Amino acid sequence: MGENAAERRSGCGLLSVMFGRRNLWSKKPTPTDNGSQKSTSTAATATSNIQFTKSPGTDLKKPHHDVKVSVETIQNNKIQNQNQRSVVPSKPSSNQYPNNHQLGTYENQQRSSYNNNSSSVDPYRGGQRKVPREAIGLSGELESMITDHQKSRGANGLVRASSSNVMLYGNLGNLNQSGPATTLGYGNVNSGGGYVATRTNVAAPATVTTKSQDQSGSLCRAISTRMDPETLKIMGNEDYKNGNFAEALALYDAAIAIDPNKAAYRSNKSAALTALGRILDAVFECREAIRIEPHYHRAHHRLGNLYLRLGEVEKSIYHFKHSGPEADPEDIVKAKAVQTHLNKCTEAKRLRDWNGLITETTNTISSGADAAPQVYALQAEALLKTHRHQEADDALSKCPVFDVETSTKYYGPVGYAGFLVVRAQVQLASGRFDEAVEAIQRAGQLDGNNREVAMVSRRAQAVTEARFRGNELFKAGRFEEACAAYGEGLDHDPRNSVLLCNRAACRSKLGQFEKSVDDCTAAISVRPGYRKARLRRVDCNTKMRKWELVVADYEILKKETPEDEEVTRGLSEAQQQLMKRRGQDS
């Protein structure tokens, strides 16, 4: 069975019925699916193509106060710089580190699909080309560049990894610098060599100006051209084993920049990306590793685990079968169990059995497909159908967040648009109107002919406008008109908790306490944790002197926020009023 066939048949019945006629994750086959993907590091070239760029910080400066510099001083400085050459590190043995993979044999029908890859020449293999001995290490000139760079930007821009290498955040690799992010540990992915991914927080560095980035890039290229890629890989392995995944990723990227045709570097980078929660990027790197080295068993096994987590069961089984000594029979058993649950999800969706769909999506995620957006989207959709808006929001928040570009590249525009439709509906139900409008507009850009996109877009726009108009009228003290405005929004989304709570505020101002309580109760029924709605109901029941109901709501609020002194005081007063009334009745 060829990899092309596996890629084409990977869609299961679940994917074809998730969002009606249009498949949420349907996508046209791309060259990356059939093993012919070009290298993702197109900007990375061999060492011979990387030019040494001198940092602006090393430019000669005019002496202050017309100080004269003697010829002897210049000659002495040259001699000192020549003596600052560092010692060449010894190159480790090939079997000392975990990613020196074993080669196996494929089926005869698989050989022809990779023949074109054998013609590529690796300048660092077979002794054809070696890094010059004097180029390894940092020269006195490079030390001067680092010093000048630290003076111009401050020392925070440079960090030291575990093996005394100097690197710059954001210039050695494709690190995600959007902000602090929580990285996930995934125990079911074989990292190899004793690597164990753990949960850690990676703080992104502060952004810098374009000029500083250009200087940093020059410095990093200078460092990269003076280091052996194998040494960089070894240093990356050390950081990975110590849980420093971002640093390891930067070092693997630096090794790839020097030698882009080494499959082990790509596979190691995939492991680091997985540990950082960047599952789709990890898939792309594993595909590239297999394109470079079709018999790389560890990359096949790693890619099989990644596909399993994404719910791509047939692709997962295919790569497990081609993982050679890395193969584990339990992996295929696990993949088949996930497929069974996915089939049940498909059937529950077809029958519109929403409670059954919630159960089966939960089983699918717990069985191993814990990074599959389509499964989380199905679960959130089922929860919305059963009017459990808060649980839908919680379910979708557990889905790994992939950036738009990467998601569109992997799932295709139509597939990712389907996911955005569900996200927009969940955000709308949770009262995040602006985010909902943004998500559905993006979905419309990706799949403008989708009827569901158009329908959700109209509803989101109507609800958002009604909320805005109602708020303005409420601020102006025109409570009856504000109440009517919120009602118009509820015509489009009858169970929107925010509109219900806002209309309850208007009715409370108008003295319509019973109607206000009804709106608050409706809001709480879809979002039990909606604190504002519960407090508003407490206020209305207090004014109607319904102390039993007041005490009941205050006790729930007390459990949610035990440190809230206002809630504690309100509960105490309500209990006293209830005891007083019971005493009078007796």
Side-chain angles (χ1 to χ4, degrees), residues 276-287:
L276 291 169
R278 297 167 58 182
I279 308 299
L280 299 184
D281 289 324
V283 168
F284 295 140
E285 289 301 325
C286 260
R287 286 177 179 175

Side-chain angles (χ1 to χ4, degrees), residues 37 56 72 85 91 97 100 138 255 299 454 503:
Q37 171 186 353
E72 290 80 7
R85 304 292 183 183
K91 191 169 183 179
Y97 293 93
N100 296 307
L138 298 176
R503 189 172 70 176

Side-chain angles (χ1 to χ4, degrees), residues 45-295:
T45 60
T47 310
S48 61
N49 293 330
I50 302 177
Q51 296 184 354
F52 176 82
T53 305
K54 192 171 183 182
S55 169
T58 61
D59 292 339
L60 294 176
K61 300 178 181 179
K62 293 182 180 180
H64 296 285
H65 307 295
D66 297 328
V67 178
K68 296 183 180 180
V69 182
S70 64
V71 176
E72 290 80 7
T73 302
I74 297 175
Q75 291 177 350
N76 291 335
N77 290 337
K78 290 183 178 179
I79 295 173
Q80 291 176 2
N81 289 337
Q82 291 175 357
N83 292 332
Q84 291 177 358
R85 304 292 183 183
S86 59
V87 181
V88 181
S90 59
K91 191 169 183 179
S93 60
S94 60
N95 58 359
Q96 186 177 355
Y97 293 93
N99 277 283
N100 296 307
H101 54 275
Q102 304 177 25
L103 297 179
T105 59
Y106 264 122
E107 296 90 338
N108 292 331
Q109 57 268 36
Q110 285 296 316
R111 297 180 185 272
S112 60
S113 62
Y114 300 104
N115 285 339
N116 294 332
N117 298 328
S118 60
S119 60
S120 60
V121 178
D122 185 351
Y124 291 89
R125 296 178 183 173
Q128 296 179 22
R129 182 174 181 179
K130 297 182 178 179
V131 179
R133 184 178 182 88
E134 63 274 13
I136 303 176
L138 298 176
S139 65
E141 182 181 21
L142 190 55
E143 290 286 0
S144 175
M145 290 170 60
I146 295 173
T147 303
D148 291 341
H149 187 81
Q150 288 175 323
K151 290 179 180 179
S152 63
R153 286 192 54 206
N156 293 334
L158 293 168
V159 294
R160 287 198 175 271
S162 57
S163 299
S164 300
N165 62 302
V166 182
M167 64 183 179
L168 287 158
Y169 265 122
N171 293 280
L172 288 178
N174 57 345
L175 291 178
N176 185 355
Q177 300 183 15
S178 58
T182 301
T183 64
L184 302 177
Y186 304 111
N188 62 338
V189 178
N190 183 7
S191 301
Y195 292 173
V196 179
T198 59
R199 183 178 294 270
T200 180
N201 290 330
V202 180
T207 56
V208 296
T209 61
T210 304
K211 181 176 180 181
S212 298
Q213 288 176 345
D214 293 340
Q215 295 177 2
S216 302
S218 300
L219 178 59
C220 290
R221 286 195 296 272
I223 294 175
S224 296
T225 55
R226 284 161 168 74
M227 296 200 71
D228 178 17
E230 250 337 271
T231 302
L232 290 168
K233 187 197 80 170
I234 293 167
M235 292 159 59
N237 290 350
E238 292 176 0
D239 277 327
Y240 187 100
K241 283 187 264 191
N242 292 329
N244 303 321
F245 304 120
E247 291 85 347
L249 176 62
L251 290 166
Y252 295 143
D253 269 328
I256 292 171
I258 300 173
D259 186 359
N261 294 318
K262 192 69 175 289
Y265 304 160
R266 301 280 184 177
S267 181
N268 285 16
K269 179 181 177 181
S270 175
L273 288 167
T274 301
L276 291 169
R278 297 167 58 182
I279 308 299
L280 299 184
D281 289 324
V283 168
F284 295 140
E285 289 301 325
C286 260
R287 286 177 179 175
E288 183 64 12
I290 294 172
R291 185 196 67 80
I292 295 170
E293 185 60 65
H295 300 274

Side-chain angles (χ1 to χ4, degrees), residues 387-456:
H387 311 302
R388 295 154 67 179
H389 296 177
Q390 182 173 317
E391 293 178 63
D393 192 24
D394 293 340
L396 205 59
S397 67
K398 297 175 184 177
C399 176
V401 178
F402 305 133
D403 63 83
V404 176
E405 182 179 355
T406 305
S407 299
T408 305
K409 178 181 176 182
Y410 185 84
Y411 294 110
V414 174
Y416 187 55
F419 176 77
L420 289 175
V421 168
V422 178
R423 175 181 287 177
Q425 293 180 82
V426 171
Q427 290 171 339
L428 190 64
S430 302
R432 298 192 295 273
F433 299 101
D434 294 337
E435 294 179 25
V437 171
E438 181 183 356
I440 201 62
Q441 287 177 347
R442 184 174 297 160
Q445 295 171 357
L446 296 173
D447 188 11
N449 297 324
N450 192 326
R451 290 184 179 181
E452 189 174 13
V453 171
M455 179 185 68
V456 174

Side-chain angles (χ1 to χ4, degrees), residues 534 537-538 546-558 571 574:
R534 195 174 293 277
R537 188 168 71 176
V538 164
K546 295 184 177 181
W547 302 115
E548 296 90 343
L549 299 177
V550 173
V551 169
D553 276 335
Y554 266 134
E555 287 177 345
I556 294 174
L557 291 168
K558 178 70 174 176
L571 175 60

Side-chain angles (χ1 to χ4, degrees), residues 12-26 346 349-350 352 354 378 381 385 414 418 421-422 447 450-452:
C12 63
L14 164 68
L15 306 183
S16 62
V17 298
M18 284 186 58
F19 292 90
R21 181 175 60 85
R22 288 184 176 271
N23 182 358
L24 175 59
W25 307 111
S26 61
T346 303
K349 167 78 173 181
R350 186 183 67 82
R352 302 179 69 83
W354 304 120
L378 270 178
E381 183 187 15
K385 295 290 186 181
V414 174
V421 168
V422 178
D447 188 11
N450 192 326
R451 290 184 179 181
E452 189 174 13

Side-chain angles (χ1 to χ4, degrees), residues 27-37 284 287 409-410:
K27 64 184 181 71
K28 297 180 180 180
T30 63
T32 58
D33 292 327
N34 54 28
S36 61
Q37 171 186 353
F284 295 140
R287 286 177 179 175
K409 178 181 176 182
Y410 185 84

